[in-house]
Amino acid sequence: MTATQIRNEKLGPRVVDALKSRHFEAFYVQTKAQALQKALELIPAGDTVSWGGSLTLQEIGLIDALKKGDYTVLDRANPKPGEDIARMALTCDTYLMSANAISEDGQLVNVDGNGNRLAAMIFGPKSVVVIAGVNKIVKTQKDAVVRARTIAAPINCQRFPDNRTPCNQTGECADCKSVDSICVQIVTTRLCRPAGRIKVILVGESLGF
């Protein structure tokens, strides 16, 4: 086991305990394969499932597994004519996403452009499953906001080459007011209510950005 893995094995369970103290249902797993298995355990067969844009979900193979499984999948990348998947997802059974940052004391921080991902996390779907690598962990809630704005957002923005934001040009946050900004909403989820609605799977690997 490498020094990084040893550190993750110490830090990950401690953050999970902090999340549980804030009424999240939380789990620590070591690998992407274990994360996939745990995520599928948390999604009942027959559920209507959707997700927000997340590289992490793709990296662990969850999107492919859902499409092959016993679920009704609302895939915003493949809508039927006339479907507004983002709105439909607000009333799905299980909503899947990652987090832009997690503080060591168990708070989730996310930024969003259109707000559909955060809307679903806050209210609507019966269950929300958040999957995040240990690279998302930072010391404090303030550090989490900084990470979301200055690390996650500028990288995420590169997925949209037509966005006219400073970070898309320079790679660094300029605290812009661009109409294309993906930092329109900045949300801290400091407690889970009702208790257990949001499940967090913390993975002892680097996932997403």
Side-chain angles (χ1 to χ4, degrees):
M1 187 177 289
T2 67
T4 298
Q5 290 171 326
I6 294 171
R7 175 259 189 182
N8 293 346
E9 292 299 303
K10 294 177 179 178
L11 179 61
R14 189 160 59 82
V15 176
V16 161
D17 286 342
L19 287 160
K20 289 178 178 178
S21 77
R22 294 178 179 273
H23 318 302
F24 297 92
E25 191 174 340
F27 310 89
Y28 177 75
V29 298
Q30 294 177 322
T31 67
K32 290 182 285 194
Q34 292 171 341
L36 174 60
Q37 180 181 355
K38 176 57 67 175
L40 293 173
E41 289 174 3
L42 295 174
I43 307 171
D47 263 17
T48 297
V49 183
S50 194
W51 53 83
S54 169
L55 179 61
T56 296
L57 302 182
Q58 297 175 27
E59 287 179 328
I60 70 169
L62 184 54
I63 302 301
D64 289 339
L66 291 171
K67 291 178 179 179
K68 297 174 183 176
D70 183 18
Y71 311 101
T72 298
V73 172
L74 301 178
D75 183 358
R76 67 178 189 172
N78 295 290
K80 296 177 182 177
E83 281 188 335
D84 186 341
I85 298 296
R87 291 184 186 276
M88 294 168 64
L90 297 177
T91 57
C92 70
D93 297 310
T94 298
Y95 191 80
L96 306 162
M97 57 182 286
S98 188
N100 295 132
I102 303 175
S103 64
E104 287 187 14
D105 67 351
Q107 301 185 68
L108 308 182
V109 172
N110 288 281
V111 298
D112 209 352
N114 295 325
N116 58 294
R117 181 173 64 107
L118 295 183
M121 180 182 71
I122 292 168
F123 186 83
K126 296 176 184 177
S127 176
V128 177
V129 179
V130 177
I131 304 165
V134 290
N135 55 306
K136 305 290 185 71
I137 299 173
V138 294
K139 190 67 179 177
T140 69
Q141 184 270 346
K142 290 184 179 179
D143 295 331
V145 173
V146 171
R147 186 191 192 282
R149 295 292 309 281
T150 67
I151 297 176
I155 297 173
N156 191 30
C157 208
Q158 305 308 311
R159 298 166 56 212
F160 311 104
D162 294 332
N163 272 26
R164 295 163 295 175
T165 60
C167 71
N168 208 3
Q169 303 301 316
T170 67
E172 61 182 357
C173 179
D175 194 26
C176 76
K177 298 178 182 178
S178 168
V179 295
D180 289 333
S181 173
I182 63 171
C183 297
V184 179
Q185 290 86 22
I186 306 170
V187 171
T188 297
T189 307
R190 59 178 297 272
L191 298 171
C192 176
R193 187 164 67 194
R197 174 179 171 267
I198 301 176
K199 291 88 173 164
V200 181
I201 302 171
L202 192 58
V203 189
E205 298 185 24
S206 181
L207 295 170
F209 41 73

